Amino acid sequence: MIEFQALADKYDTPLYLYDFNHLAQQYTRLKEAFRARKSLICYAVKANSNLSVIKHFANLGAGCDCVSIGEVKRALYAGVPNYKIIFSGVGKRDEEIKEALEKDILLINVESEAELNRVEIQAAELNKQARISIRVNPNIDPQTHPYISTGLHENKFGVDLDTAKRLYIFAKNSDFLDPVGIHFHIGSQLTQLEPIKEASAIVADLVRSLQTLDIDIKFFDVGGGLGIRYDDETLIEPYDYAQAILSTLTGLDVTIMCEPGRFLTANSGYFLTRVLYEKTNGDKRFVIVDGGMNDLIRPSLYNAYHKIEIIGKAEDEETSECDVVGPVCESGDFFAKNIRLPLTRHNDLLVIHSAGAYCATMSSNYNTRGRVAEVAVEDGKDRLIRRRESFEDMIALEKDYLKD
Ligand code: LLP
């Protein structure tokens, strides 16, 4: 039981809370599911990049999937060993590639022919061999929200099968490239097993055909994407997920890698916000809270559902329909529309659930609102893992450039 009220009183609102015991449980569930094989779970840092969250996973043995050199450095700073870090992403600057090579991370995941050429040039300059994987786009519909679908040719990610094969041959013949991995990721918040299995089978076949060309793939990276329950979604069990993937790999001696973000963190996180006041415009009721879309943008951006709970109200209290909105100057600044809540008072506490993934990381300073504090709860104890941003923090990068 997390003491929401006491923690809101102690740390003030708006606030992110993360249940570190739950983070560990999720990691262990997934790791156990793959126990029949060598596996490396590379936590997708973009979901929640707080250093303490990354360190928590590192302590459990996880690696990290990063999409910028900034994320790579975060992972290293938090104690993830370089040989467990992979660097993905559809566009990488030369400097980022170079730094990744210097830091000798496990794999650079390449998403196009042009990128492969840039990696080769950088590696040659450093007189190194770049360990790479190639992201294959298997053209599979993951049956998820179009904004987070990535495995179709119409999406910008990866290369098609024929191009992948050609790039592997090119890499094998290069002195500066070492093609040891293969990668796919078809989308996020996946709740159907079949598309993953289909994609895995297609990519496994490619690995077999590469073997006949003497190209030996050691790391089979199935990306992230495992869905979680925001509302009443039916979920893929980690065991079934692992079995579906393993069933496509007969005869292949590969280490399985996966890159979960949401599955590991989403339901460990809570966003706490207090009611400022209520108002009605005509018949329309609004509950105005102190958190806004700059703190948690998923409802505004994807129309995403996040369960909202009011603390300290009796279950049988009379409710009426309302929108829960923030103070930001946008009509899109809402956490929920047309939900039923009891009448609220100034300072009532609302808990927004499933806020551990893509919430704090997607926050901004819009409207010069400081990023909120983050707190870890573990074994009944709480600790600050990011302090609240101050006004001074927000102007720090500009104030020295003011002209008369
Ligand atoms: N690997 C790659 C290559 C990815 O692109 C992603 C997510 C992941 C792993 C982690 O996926 P996960 O296990 O978390 O589903 N902002 C959106 C989600 C964007 C996901 C982008 N890529 C949201 O709030 O729903």
Side-chain angles (χ1 to χ4, degrees):
M1 259 301 277
I2 299 185
E3 298 292 336
F4 292 117
Q5 191 69 59
L7 292 167
D9 290 344
K10 178 168 174 185
Y11 294 100
D12 207 357
T13 58
L15 180 71
Y16 277 108
L17 281 186
Y18 307 121
D19 177 345
F20 271 37
N21 295 106
H22 190 261
L23 291 177
Q25 274 165 24
Q26 289 297 91
Y27 174 82
T28 308
R29 277 178 73 197
L30 196 55
K31 183 72 188 167
E32 283 287 299
F34 280 109
R35 70 168 167 255
R37 284 265 191 160
K38 282 172 289 180
S39 69
L40 177 63
I41 295 182
C42 288
Y43 166 56
V45 170
K46 61 173 91 68
N48 186 323
S49 53
N50 186 290
L51 289 173
S52 301
V53 170
I54 301 174
K55 181 165 184 223
H56 196 53
F57 288 127
N59 289 345
L60 295 165
C64 278
D65 165 47
C66 303
V67 284
S68 67
I69 202 69
E71 285 192 354
V72 170
K73 287 180 177 162
R74 259 184 194 272
L76 289 167
Y77 194 90
V80 180
N82 57 348
Y83 57 85
K84 289 187 182 175
I85 294 177
I86 56 178
F87 182 15
S88 309
V90 77
K92 304 180 186 75
R93 292 167 49 83
D94 281 355
E95 291 78 3
E96 292 186 293
I97 296 169
K98 186 165 171 239
E99 208 170 332
L101 290 170
E102 283 167 350
K103 298 202 180 319
D104 207 19
I105 63 169
L106 177 60
L107 287 170
I108 295 182
N109 187 26
V110 172
E111 301 218 17
S112 62
E113 178 165 11
E115 188 188 351
L116 189 65
N117 293 334
R118 296 311 308 168
V119 173
E120 190 189 33
I121 291 169
Q122 295 304 316
E125 274 181 19
L126 295 171
N127 198 21
K128 274 195 152 189
Q129 248 202 341
R131 278 182 303 277
I132 58 142
S133 55
I134 289 174
R135 177 162 178 179
V136 179
N137 183 326
N139 201 23
I140 297 282
D141 182 354
Q143 296 159 27
T144 184
H145 191 295
Y147 279 19
I148 48 179
S149 148
T150 48
L152 282 167
H153 284 169
E154 68 192 55
N155 303 125
K156 68 180 175 182
F157 300 97
V159 296
D160 60 61
L161 288 166
D162 289 342
T163 309
K165 200 163 176 175
R166 198 162 48 74
L167 297 187
Y168 276 111
I169 295 168
F170 174 84
K172 181 183 160 51
N173 292 326
S174 162
D175 288 340
F176 302 105
L177 298 171
D178 186 13
V180 286
I182 198 157
H183 173 259
F184 67 93
H185 169 85
I186 58 173
S188 199
Q189 183 56 9
L190 305 176
T191 53
Q192 309 280 324
L193 197 50
E194 208 40 49
I196 303 171
K197 190 170 173 181
E198 225 178 302
S200 185
I202 292 171
V203 178
D205 277 344
L206 177 58
V207 173
R208 290 188 187 94
S209 82
L210 292 174
Q211 266 181 348
T212 64
L213 299 169
D214 224 14
I215 298 169
D216 189 19
I217 299 296
K218 298 190 177 68
F219 298 100
F220 190 87
D221 183 347
V222 302
L226 260 186
I228 61 113
R229 189 164 287 139
Y230 287 97
D231 190 4
D232 55 3
E233 296 89 341
T234 37
L235 299 183
I236 302 170
E237 279 300 315
Y239 177 80
D240 298 335
Y241 173 71
Q243 287 308 310
I245 291 163
L246 294 176
S247 72
T248 66
L249 296 178
T250 6
L252 294 179
D253 179 22
V254 286
T255 298
I256 314 269
M257 289 172 58
C258 62
E259 308 166 351
R262 193 187 316 265
F263 175 83
L264 294 182
T265 61
N267 277 334
S268 308
Y270 304 87
F271 181 68
L272 272 52
T273 181
R274 280 203 181 98
V275 173
L276 297 173
Y277 21 72
E278 293 211 4
K279 74 186 257 185
T280 47
N281 279 349
D283 286 343
K284 184 84 194 172
R285 174 184 167 212
F286 294 97
V287 175
I288 303 169
V289 296
D290 62 2
M293 67 187 286
N294 70 298
D295 305 312
L296 196 168
I297 202 174
R298 299 193 73 257
S300 314
L301 194 58
Y302 311 116
N303 216 9
Y305 169 82
H306 284 259
K307 181 179 144 191
I308 298 184
E309 180 190 357
I310 301 198
I311 301 301
K313 294 271 173 191
E315 294 231 326
D316 55 358
E317 229 168 288
E318 203 182 318
T319 61
S320 68
E321 213 164 82
C322 64
D323 289 3
V324 177
V325 301
V328 171
C329 295
E330 301 266 350
S331 298
D333 180 24
F334 65 89
F335 293 123
K337 286 195 160 173
N338 305 318
I339 59 161
R340 298 194 69 88
L341 287 182
L343 195 65
T344 62
R345 290 207 183 79
H346 182 64
N347 273 342
D348 275 353
L349 183 64
L350 265 56
V351 176
I352 301 189
H353 287 246
S354 313
Y358 305 110
C359 291
T361 42
M362 292 177 75
S363 64
S364 76
N365 288 132
Y366 189 40
N367 283 198
T368 305
R369 291 169 49 84
R371 284 191 182 74
V372 310
E374 296 178 282
V375 166
V377 179
E378 189 175 14
D379 302 330
K381 296 199 183 76
D382 51 274
R383 65 177 198 275
L384 191 65
I385 57 172
R386 182 185 163 106
R387 71 165 167 79
R388 194 173 293 283
E389 223 168 19
S390 66
F391 174 70
E392 282 302 319
D393 291 329
M394 283 189 279
I395 60 165
L397 305 180
E398 302 155 42
K399 67 177 186 352
D400 296 340
Y401 304 99
L402 266 182
K403 274 187 168 177
D404 287 339

